[in-house]
Structures are given as C-alpha cells and as structure tokens.
Amino acid sequence: MSAGLVHRYIPNTAPGVREQMLAEIGVGSVDEIYEEIPAELRFAGRLDLQQEPRSEADVAREITAILGKNRTTDDLLSFLGAGCWPHYAPALVAEVMGRSEFLTAYGGIEVNDHGRFLAVFEYQSMMGDLLEMDVVAAAVYDGTTASGDAIHMASRITGRKELVLPRLMDPDRLSALLNYNGPWFTPVFVEFDPATGLMDLADLTAKLSDRTAAVYLENPTYLGTVETQAAEISRIAHAAGALLIAHVNPASLGVLAPPGQYDADIACGDGQPLGLPISCGGARLGVLACKNEVRFVHTLPMTMVGILPTTVPGERAYTWHALFDRIFYGEREAARSFSGTSSFLNAIGAGVYMALLGPSGMVDLGTANMQKAAYAARRIGGLQGVKAPVFAGPHFNEFVVDFSGTGKSAAEVNAALLERGILGGKDVTKEFPALGAAALYCVTENHTQSEIDRLVDAIGEVTR
Amino acid sequence: MTTIDPKSPAAEGAPADRYLEYSAIDTGYRAVRWHEKTLYEQSRPGSTNAILPAVEKGIVDAVGDVVAALPAAARRARPPEMPELSEPEILRHYIRCSQMTYGYDSGNSMGLGTCTMKYSPRINEQLAALPEVKALHPLQPEETIQGILEIMYGMRNWLCELAGMDEVTFQPRGGGHGAFTDACMIRAYHHARGEDFRDEIITCAVSHPCNPATASAAGFKVISLYPDEVTGELGIDALRAAISDRTAGIMMTAPYDTGVFDSQIAEYARLVHEAGGVVSLDQANFNGVMTRMRAGDLGADMVHFNLHKTFSTPHGSYGPGAGAVAVKKAFRDFLPVPVVEFDGSRYHLNSDLSNSIGKVGTFMGMVPNVVKAYAWVLAMGAEGLREASEWAVINNNYLIKKLLEVRGLDISWPNRRKLQEARFSLAKLHDETGVGTLDFNYRLADFGVQTYFESHVPRIVPEPVTPEPTESISKEDVDQFVAAFHHISAEAYSNPEIVLTAPHRSIVHREIHDYENLTQVPFTWRVWKRTHPDG
Ligand SMILES: Cc1ncc(COP(=O)(O)O)c(C=O)c1O
C-alpha cells in the first residue's frame, strides 16, 4: 500500500522510497506490521478531523486569524501579576533561546551537549549567587511544583508529618501542593497579622512541635508584602528542629534578603520574571536550591548539572549524570516526584538575563520594582474611598487595593477599566473575602510613570 | 579508566581521527570545540548593560529610597557575586555554547529512543511567539482571550478524536506530570466513592518510570510486574495475581518503550474494571499508532500524550514540554481546572467541576505549546498523521532489519515485531570484546551522529541500545546510523582500545565519576571556586 502522500515534514514520502524499504523489511505493506495490534483493537473508522494536510501558508493564515481575536497586553495597559509578572524581556534572551541547537536538543551526553550543560550550569551558578545557596537544580516545571519538591525533600529528610504554611497563600498553589504533598503531610496554617499580611509569629510558635518537618514561607507574600520577619521565622523553625523552606521571587533578590542570608535550608520560586515572557502563563521556570549537605543534595529529586573530571587531566565535563538514579528514573516505585522533561530552555534564557543585568542590574531591577509599586500604591491610595496598599509595610511589586469605600466591587472596577483599555489587578475578593472589594495590582520596572498616572486617573473616574 | 595525555592529539580532539579518516562512514565531522571559559572566568568587574528603563525622577522624588528604608534583616547585605560582561561578549559566549550542543536540527538525530525526536516546524515557533500569545496574561478576562481559547478547544476536540475520549486538560507540564495527574484523579475517584482502601497501582517494568513514580508520589503502593520473557507482555495470569480488592488501577505505557504493543491490553482493562479499578494509559509513545488505535476504544479511562514528542513541539534542551490528558466522560468531573468550554458562540474557562482535583500546576497550562501542537495537526491533517505513524513504523522496522546484521548486536523479544522503537542489546559484543554499550555510544559521538538512549531502569535488557527513527528521519539517516554501527563493531572486534578510549574527536572526553557523595560535585560556580582555589 502506498498512500502517495508527499509531506514536507516527512523526507521518505518522496516517490519510490516506501516500496524499497518495505521490500527490505520483507513485508508487502505496513499493515502487516500493524497486525501486532489485534484486529479488534485496530481503529477502522474515520476521524472527525480535517483530513488533508495544509500548506505552511494556510496554517499561518488560519492560526493568525484565530489569534487575532485576542487582545494583548501590548494593546491593553495591564496591571495583572499574581504569579505571572510582566517584566521587560531583553532581546538577547529570545535570541539565545531561539538558537536551533538549544531549542531542539534533548538527551545528548557530555561529549556532544557540552554547551547546553555549560549554559545550564551557569544558570544554576548565577541563581545560586542570587539566592546565596550552594546547590541549584537545573530546572523544575514552575514555582509551584518547585515548592512541592522542596516540601517532599523536607518530609524525606526529617521523617516528620506536619508542614507549617502561611494562611495567606495563592489558593491555586495551595491546591497543587495538596495534590502533590497531600498524602505525606498534614498542613498546619499560620494566621497572618491583619495589619501587615505577614506571619503571626506568636501563632507560628504555638503551631510548631516535634511533628513539624518544615516551615514554608513566601517572600514576597502572595499579596505582595515583604516578609520582613524571615530571619526570625528561620530562627524559630530551626529551634523546633524543623527545616526552613523559602519560596522567593528571584527578581527581588538584588534588594531583598536572599534565602541564604536567613539560613533557609531549601529555596524555591519561579524564574519567569527573569526575562521570560508572560505567554499566557506558559513560560515557567521552577527554581529549586538547597544547602550543600548530603541529606539535602541526595533528596533533591531533579536533574542538576555538575562539573566532573574527564579522562584528560584538567578538562571539565559539565554533566547531569552525577547520581542520576536518585531521581525518579532510578527510583521508580519509591519516588515522590514527576518531573522528567522540565524547563531547561527557560533556565538558559534566565541565565542570559542574569548575565546581562549583572549584580548592579539586579539591584536596579529590585529597586525600580519597589519604587514604582510604592508610587502606584501611594497614588491609588490617595483616591476617595480607595484603600491602597491594604497592608502596611514594604511591598515588592504587588499590593492589594480595596474599593469597598467606593461602593464598587473589584469586578465592577475591572469591567469599567477594561472599557478604558486597562486590565486592572487580579480580583481576589473570592479568595480573601475579609479583605473587602480587593484586587491585587502588579507594577514593575516596565510600567512608566505616565502609565501609572493613567491608571490612577482611570480608577478615580470609574469609582467616582 | 584509561587516562589520556592532555598534550596528545587525541586530547586535542585531533586534527583528524586517525582511526576514521577516509573510511566509508567518515562524515567529516569535527566537533566545534571552543576552549570556552565560564562567564565567571571571563568577568570584567564594573561592566554593566543598561537594559532596564530608568525610573522617572517624579517617582524617585515621591517615594525616596525605598530599599534603604527596609529593615536591615530584610535587605540584601552584599551584592550577588555574578559575572559582569558586556552584551556582545555574552552573546558570543552563548553562541559558542550553542555550537557545542547537538540539537535535533544539527544532524542525524535518530538515536534518542523513547524521546520521539522529530522535526519541530519553525512556522509553529513563529506563531507561538506572536504578541497574541506571548503578550497575553493568563488572568485576562475571557472575552479578551477568545482566540487562545478557540485554539485550546480545537486541540481538545482533535485529541478527543485521536484518543477516543471525551475531555482534555492541558494543565500537565510534561509526560510525567500527565501520569501524575492521572494518579491524582484515580485517588480522587475512589475517594468520591468512599473506597479509600484502594491503595495499590499496578504497572509494568517496561512502562516508563514515571508510571510507578507518580503513582508513588500520589501516595499509592506500586506493584511492578515484569514482562513475559517470550512475549514481552504483562500477561493475564500475572495481572490476575496482582489484582485484589485494594487495586486502585493500572498505569501502563502503550506501546512499551521496547516497541512491543501489548496485545492483551483490552483484557487487562476489563479485568481491572471488573475489580473496581481505573485504567490509565501512558501514550507518550503514540507516534507509531496515530489513527490506528485509540486508548478509549481499548477500555482506558484516561490517557496522556506528550505534545513535545508526538505533536512536534521542540524539546527545548530538556523542556519546557507539555502533557495533555484525555479522559472518558465519567472522569471529566475529576479533571484539574480550568477546562475550556464552548457554548456555540463563545469560549469559557470552567473552574467549577464538583470533584476536581484542583490544580497540578499554575494557570492554564502550557499554552504556547498547545498553539504549536495545534499548528502541527493542522499541517498534517488526519492523512498526514496516519502517514507519519506509518513512517515511524517503517523506519524502525527497516532499522531493525539492517541493525541486526551488525556483529555482536541482538534485539530483545526477537519474535515480536516492534512499532515505533526497539530495544537492542550489545551483550554479545560486550562478552566477546569487552566493549560495552557506553563505550559504543561514546564512539558513536565521533561520527557526528547523535548518541543513542540506552534504557530506563530496570535494565532488563543487558547492554541496551534504544534508538527511535521517527518519520522525520530519512532512509539515508538510517543507513548512516547502521554504517556507523558496523564500523564501531568492527573496531571492537579488531582493536577494542579505539572504542574503549572514545570519544576521540568530540567536544570533551568521558566524565569520571570519582566522588563519594554529591556534595563533592560542584553544582554552582560558588562551590567550584571554594573547592578549586587555583581554577
Ligand atoms: C512512555 C513515556 N512516558 C512518559 C514520558 C515522560 O515524559 P516527560 O519527560 O515529559 O515527563 C516519556 C518520555 O519520553 C515516555 O517515553
């Protein structure tokens, strides 16, 4: 049988090749090979799919037309963040990530993928410098699964069954963690100080015991405040024999205390703000790091690129093969993880970003985010009936706005802003009813003063 | 381990591989081999790049030095010790790194079996990089992302058709995450029926490691069955013996990583259902059977695909990939949220499923990869998908025919025809020459051909070799791969030293594992610097 179809992605569909190869195999048609699938299981129907292949031009036209129905944050002035942050993406990041070799490599070994491993090692190294942590994994899916991996590590290391978490957390992240870590842990929630949104330390102390495997903190918190008590939380956790897991935003670490500075045992976070586009939430980079002690490194369930010697003295091999078997490929039924293919390309991109900014650029990045968010919060908070920021104390690049005093709901404000070409902050009314008509606004280095002023004017207008 | 004199031509990558020059298989390959230092070693302190916008004076004047106002304990005490280089130097470094990387596009890439290395069309990259994808925020109101939802819904419909299923989620970040999503749904399903006592998942040792691993992560006990020595299948009797009233379900790969399609799979599904369990199929290896079989028709309740394997999205140096899970109606309610719905005129995100497992990752899933996969299916059409699978199977069976002529090489389960890939063994070569599969693979790198995947554990097949010539591979590629195997086998029998000391003209030489524990392996430059003060 010959379908006679010549397809641009399939070199052997050129005429004559099929017959020649089938003859070599010794079968009359490929159907003979498919007899491996029992007849009653073979699909014989017609699929409700477009049948014929399409040309590249037709594919491009059709998809461009569909995508044209979207309204992008290039056209709408957006203040959405909440885990997917709109930062400036330098041209070099896309250039390097678009290099065919990086884009299409996968499972080569040290002798032919030296460059891919070197680039990932450098990502790990720069991330280690930012975090002040000695061991960094190559990449995990996203910040949430990185938190899950960190929690599993703590469970394995301590053998304890309780995990202490802040009450004030992204409910979506919490849901994912309960899926991932649920079978191994009882979550114990620490209440937050209603004035600051930070962990209530008295409650934290009360909830710690010899059952506590780890205290998990987020810095900045989900609602944007800087967890200024991290060092104190670390001390309290360690005094109870528990580990400290710090989930951080790498973009903040030029200015905020890195996890290593407050003696976190395991650090995690999402590297998307390091020059990766928002891409409808689909460009993620899970960051996972730990201290360089056997109990940590040997339970870290992800690939890591390390330096090993080679058969030539003085030569370095960058390789992911060091104790590969400790991850799920080797552990199989004893494993507690799932990430095989993860996010290396995004790690390489984040590496380019960190290299470009350098230490001073990371300080500038952190400073600009804090300044612009502070400016926006202050100006919005000056509007009649609008409270911003809802929490006292320093914020990184997000803050909560409460519209209760205007008689409008957060959803109403957002709908009215959209009519003015603005995407307001994430409506968190359902997530945290106690906060009132609340929305979470994100302002980064990439918002200009006039854009912020435009937002303030628009909020003023729609809440009047 | 044989050590090589750093000054010898062999260590330098050699102007030529004297063992290879002028042989029929000499591809002319000389690895690009820069003596490229790390960015740290190239760093010139004080270099900066003005990438970010300046903060306006009006803002600075209004808020002052917000960083200095932080409590000291909350402030970074010292600047990060990162490298400092100019933009052109950084680009050059990464260009060199990319030159020292073997991408799918770099050459003959059929070696990496179980990975389904196929061509990733560039038009798909361009489409997914349009602002209409790249500049969308996942929390935008539905009415502003109708285009993306239409594509997700379209891809959902196609996958439902291809899988014989009723609903799809794109939440999983990869194949392993897809299996994990299945495991969570199985757990939730039994919980909803008040049958939490069902705590065992059955799998097979030739199923991908993510099947047992994710079942374990979801809290199940895992029973791993070994394939029958003759058929390569799980076997009805073994399965019956493993089934009990504690059976939560079965999670297995189809076809297996060995290329064997388990012919009794529908019967397993029947038995597991009869015992009250759930059937989850891992069809990351879907590439050889598109339009030929559908998981739903075999009795599976759920199935996952890898968009980065079968559906052409690039492997990205090891991700980001994407997993898609398709389920039968009875499991729709358990899916992670949101699911995309269509009311006849508009698309919606529904996060309100009463038994939903909630979230497994962030936001709407790997949206850019869904766009790429959608573009690929559009370019293929049903006819193209069928053709692609046929070629994956023809290429593989042609490879088998040719490779079995190589001295010292055998195939596992020789009485079975294989679909998309096969697991070969160099055990005989190893016994007769001392050259093992790792040596063989290192030597293969010298030809400028992608190295091969050996095997997952457990290594049921000794000295394993697992290539996978997808439909993107030409007959010439297969012939070249086979010729390299003949050449290396001949070397092994005549002068094994050549193979045992390989590679000879690749980028670096073999790594040596001489550590007692991982704390002795530097995973960051800060550790390297501390432990290697002299560089
Ligand atoms: C059969 C099978 N299942 C699952 C996976 C895991 O996929 P991922 O690496 O995306 O987690 C693979 C990987 O190639 C596979 O071959």
Side-chain angles (χ1 to χ4, degrees), chain A residues 1 3 7 9-13 18 20-21 24 27 31 34 36 38 42-43 48-51 53-54 63 66-67 69-73 81 84 99-106 110-116 122 124-126 129-130 132-134 141-142 175-176 179 183-184 253 255 257 261 278-280 282 292 298 305-307 309-313 315-316 318-319 321-323 329 332-333 335 338 340 342 344-345 356 359-360 378 445 448-449, chain B residues 2-4 33 38-41 48-49 53 56 62 74-78 80-82 93 97-98 100-102 104-105 115 121 131-132 134-137 140 144-145 147-148 150 158 161 173 177 180 187 205 207 210 213 216-218 263 288 292 294 314-320 357 359 362 366 375 378-383 387 389-391 395 401-402 416-417 442 450 457 471-472 475 507-512 515 518-519 522-526 530:
Chain A
M1 182 206 81
H7 198 285
Y9 299 155
I10 314 180
N12 282 342
T13 52
R18 179 184 281 250
Q20 194 189 344
M21 290 178 76
E24 288 271 7
V27 293
D31 288 342
Y34 279 115
E36 280 294 309
R42 264 177 257 148
F43 179 70
D48 184 15
L49 276 179
Q50 148 222 323
Q51 296 299 308
R54 297 257 174 97
I63 292 182
I66 300 173
L67 290 174
K69 298 170 191 168
N70 294 329
R71 298 181 69 193
T72 77
T73 58
C84 185
R99 287 288 293 184
S100 149
E101 297 87 340
F102 289 146
L103 182 72
T104 67
Y106 191 44
E110 76 280 7
V111 303
N112 61 2
D113 269 2
H114 181 80
R116 161 173 82 105
E122 291 177 320
Q124 294 173 186
S125 297
M126 289 182 271
D129 290 336
L130 262 189
E132 294 196 353
M133 304 288 289
D134 282 347
Y141 297 134
D142 59 27
S175 165
N179 266 322
W184 312 90
L253 295 181
V255 293
Q261 191 175 314
I278 51 178
S279 281
C280 210
N292 195 20
H298 283 216
V305 176
I307 302 179
T310 76
T311 49
V312 175
E315 191 178 60
R316 294 178 205 157
Y318 295 91
T319 174
H321 281 136
L323 275 193
Y329 294 115
R332 293 189 73 101
E333 49 267 16
F338 43 58
S342 54
F344 275 41
L345 190 63
L356 266 177
S360 64
R378 181 178 304 182
E445 83 288 349
T448 63
Q449 184 177 10
Chain B
T2 323
T3 311
I4 297 169
R33 193 170 184 275
T38 61
L39 290 167
Y40 289 87
E41 292 158 290
T48 56
N49 296 297
E56 294 87 340
R75 214 184 313 136
R76 185 169 191 115
R78 45 195 170 262
E81 289 180 40
M82 297 159 67
H93 172 71
C97 285
S98 72
M100 293 190 283
T101 300
Y102 202 99
Y104 174 83
D105 300 329
C115 303
E132 286 77 11
K134 214 172 180 172
L136 288 190
H137 194 283
Q140 283 183 221
T144 64
I145 54 170
I148 232 28
E150 181 174 339
W158 291 343
E161 266 306 286
R173 265 66 187 154
H177 211 205
F180 178 70
R187 189 173 71 196
S207 287
C210 75
S216 163
S263 65
R292 293 278 177 170
R294 307 196 306 169
H315 284 77
S317 280
Y318 208 56
I357 61 169
K359 300 297 276 190
T362 27
M366 299 302 292
L378 203 57
M380 301 304 284
E383 291 171 7
E387 186 79 13
S389 278
E390 290 184 2
W391 277 108
N395 281 348
K401 180 78 196 307
K402 294 287 181 183
R416 295 298 302 266
R417 274 204 193 281
Y442 277 126
Q450 178 60 288
V457 294
E471 78 278 9
S472 309
K475 176 176 175 297
I507 306 163
V508 292
H509 299 80
R510 295 180 187 213
E511 63 200 28
I512 298 175
Y515 48 86
L518 287 188
T519 65
F523 292 107
T524 53
W525 187 254
R526 50 200 270 122
R530 273 205 299 274

Side-chain angles (χ1 to χ4, degrees), chain B residues 89-153:
Chain B
E89 292 169 303
I90 293 167
L91 179 59
R92 183 166 67 191
H93 172 71
Y94 281 101
I95 295 295
R96 289 178 169 184
C97 285
S98 72
Q99 289 171 337
M100 293 190 283
T101 300
Y102 202 99
Y104 174 83
D105 300 329
S106 305
N108 187 343
S109 290
M110 57 178 283
L112 300 174
T114 85
C115 303
T116 311
M117 303 303 293
K118 65 168 68 179
Y119 173 60
S120 298
R122 287 314 189 276
I123 182 64
N124 304 357
E125 296 306 305
Q126 283 187 17
L127 292 167
L130 291 173
E132 286 77 11
V133 181
K134 214 172 180 172
L136 288 190
H137 194 283
L139 299 173
Q140 283 183 221
E142 269 169 22
E143 65 262 35
T144 64
I145 54 170
Q146 285 293 304
I148 232 28
L149 296 182
E150 181 174 339
I151 285 187
M152 293 179 80
Y153 192 76

Side-chain angles (χ1 to χ4, degrees), chain B residues 75-366:
Chain B
R75 214 184 313 136
R76 185 169 191 115
R78 45 195 170 262
E81 289 180 40
M82 297 159 67
E84 295 169 82
L85 286 158
S86 69
E87 181 167 333
E89 292 169 303
I90 293 167
L91 179 59
R92 183 166 67 191
H93 172 71
Y94 281 101
I95 295 295
R96 289 178 169 184
C97 285
S98 72
Q99 289 171 337
M100 293 190 283
T101 300
Y102 202 99
Y104 174 83
D105 300 329
S106 305
N108 187 343
S109 290
M110 57 178 283
L112 300 174
T114 85
C115 303
T116 311
M117 303 303 293
K118 65 168 68 179
Y119 173 60
S120 298
R122 287 314 189 276
I123 182 64
N124 304 357
E125 296 306 305
Q126 283 187 17
L127 292 167
L130 291 173
E132 286 77 11
V133 181
K134 214 172 180 172
L136 288 190
H137 194 283
L139 299 173
Q140 283 183 221
E142 269 169 22
E143 65 262 35
T144 64
I145 54 170
Q146 285 293 304
I148 232 28
L149 296 182
E150 181 174 339
I151 285 187
M152 293 179 80
Y153 192 76
M155 192 66 198
R156 161 211 183 262
N157 288 345
W158 291 343
L159 287 181
C160 282
E161 266 306 286
L162 286 164
M165 294 283 183
D166 302 307
E167 191 57 85
V168 169
T169 176
F170 296 108
Q171 278 287 303
R173 265 66 187 154
H177 211 205
F180 178 70
T181 304
D182 284 8
C184 290
M185 288 193 288
I186 296 173
R187 189 173 71 196
Y189 173 79
H190 293 306
H191 182 72
R193 294 158 61 95
E195 298 194 348
D196 284 328
F197 57 84
R198 293 185 179 275
D199 61 355
E200 289 179 355
I201 292 282
I202 301 168
T203 189
C204 182
V206 281
S207 287
H208 188 273
C210 75
N211 294 283
T214 59
S216 163
F220 291 107
K221 296 191 182 67
V222 180
I223 302 177
S224 219
L225 302 175
Y226 275 69
D228 182 86
E229 275 179 29
V230 179
T231 64
E233 299 190 352
L234 201 66
I236 300 283
D237 293 342
L239 181 63
R240 268 192 211 282
I243 288 177
S244 75
D245 50 10
R246 292 175 64 180
T247 300
I250 186 168
M251 292 175 68
M252 62 181 282
T253 301
Y256 293 130
D257 282 353
T258 57
V260 171
F261 186 89
D262 199 316
S263 65
Q264 306 174 89
I265 203 159
E267 183 58 12
Y268 307 157
R270 205 187 55 75
L271 289 172
V272 170
H273 282 149
E274 199 176 81
V278 178
V279 177
S280 150
L281 275 202
D282 172 348
Q283 286 218 286
N285 291 337
F286 191 48
N287 203 45
V289 294
M290 290 183 288
T291 78
R292 293 278 177 170
M293 50 91 30
R294 307 196 306 169
D297 302 344
L298 310 188
D301 300 302
M302 46 189 73
V303 60
H304 73 84
F305 300 116
N306 281 15
L307 300 189
H308 52 294
K309 292 179 62 178
T310 312
F311 295 90
S312 90
T313 77
H315 284 77
S317 280
Y318 208 56
V325 170
V327 298
K328 289 264 176 68
K329 248 192 214 79
F331 288 86
R332 182 179 196 274
D333 207 31
F334 293 90
L335 282 169
V337 287
V339 290
V340 185
E341 294 176 350
F342 183 52
D343 66 12
S345 61
R346 292 164 65 82
Y347 297 90
H348 305 282
L349 286 168
N350 182 356
S351 288
D352 201 19
L353 303 177
S354 56
N355 282 312
S356 170
I357 61 169
K359 300 297 276 190
V360 288
T362 27
F363 302 114
M364 295 156 62
M366 299 302 292

